[in-house]
Amino acid sequence: MDSLIIYKSIHMGNTKKVAEAVSDVIGCEIKEPNEVENLDKYNLIGFASGVYYGDFHRSIKDFVDNTDGDGKRAFLLSTSGFRPLPFVHNYEEKMRKRLKENGFEFLGSFTCRGSDRYGPLKFFGGLHMSRPNESDLDNAKKFAEEMKKYVR
Ligand SMILES: Cc1cc2nc3c(=O)[nH]c(=O)nc-3n(C[C@H](O)[C@H](O)[C@H](O)COP(=O)(O)O)c2cc1C
């Protein structure tokens, strides 16, 4: 069985960088949701997204909602301008719940800050313009080593 990372990275390419770092360690492909026909040959799936309005991209959420996880193992990757916070900015928690509701086995999640020039931020030179940085990508690779243990 294979592994796959399904990603959406529409703003600065931040999440794609993280997804590529993780895929290098696991040795898997990365694809956008519309490039995935079905998950039959995969048993470990990463869902990766920038955070937009407090949540993963609609195409990733729709993909999960329209898929029977069938006990497949899944993990999350994300980049956001602001860190997660309970109740008010809980994008990882919302996706974790969504994965479980659709039959996936949730393994864990990795998030880091990403450069953000959305809306008024661009008038102030943007936020965290050098992230994800080397240290973020190293942390993503450490997380990937953990996920790799689940490749059968
Ligand atoms: C339309 C839009 C909405 C965003 N909403 C949020 C948000 O609710 N919370 C947050 O922390 N960052 C938010 N951001 C910043 C992005 O999460 C951040 O720039 C992320 O790294 C983008 O990932 P990407 O380059 O892979 O698209 C938003 C960015 C855009 C473009």
Side-chain angles (χ1 to χ4, degrees):
M1 294 293 259
D2 285 339
S3 11
L4 174 69
I5 295 174
I6 304 172
Y7 79 98
K8 200 72 187 176
S9 182
I10 61 166
H11 184 37
M12 311 281 290
N14 295 329
T15 313
K16 189 172 187 190
K17 286 184 199 159
V18 171
E20 283 171 346
V22 170
S23 72
D24 281 351
V25 173
I26 296 180
C28 68
E29 286 181 287
I30 70 168
K31 290 185 176 186
E32 297 212 25
N34 61 356
E35 298 172 321
V36 183
E37 277 180 24
N38 62 63
L39 295 180
D40 290 354
K41 66 174 181 156
Y42 305 105
N43 65 0
L44 176 67
I45 298 123
F47 292 98
S49 175
V51 172
Y52 315 106
Y53 309 115
D55 214 338
F56 274 44
H57 192 267
R58 169 50 58 197
S59 63
I60 297 285
K61 294 191 288 185
D62 285 349
F63 188 96
V64 172
D65 287 346
N66 293 319
T67 303
D68 175 6
D70 195 26
K72 291 176 191 293
R73 290 165 165 175
F75 62 87
L76 298 173
L77 304 172
S78 59
T79 67
S80 63
F82 301 92
R83 67 190 173 89
L85 289 169
F87 308 111
V88 289
H89 199 232
N90 57 342
Y91 49 89
E92 289 180 303
E93 180 57 24
K94 285 194 270 193
M95 273 301 291
R96 184 190 65 75
K97 197 163 165 264
R98 187 171 231 112
L99 287 173
K100 286 196 157 181
E101 282 168 0
N102 288 284
F104 289 91
E105 182 189 345
F106 175 73
L107 294 180
S109 57
F110 173 84
T111 187
C112 69
R113 303 297 63 75
S115 54
D116 186 0
R117 287 178 58 79
Y118 179 60
L121 288 172
K122 65 173 167 288
F123 301 115
F124 301 99
L127 187 67
H128 318 303
M129 287 312 289
S130 58
R131 296 186 73 183
N133 55 25
E134 281 308 306
S135 161
D136 294 319
L137 297 178
D138 281 350
N139 288 334
K141 287 177 189 168
K142 282 182 198 138
F143 174 78
E145 293 291 352
E146 290 306 305
M147 295 301 106
K148 194 178 177 179
K149 293 176 187 164
Y150 292 94
V151 177
R152 285 188 288 232

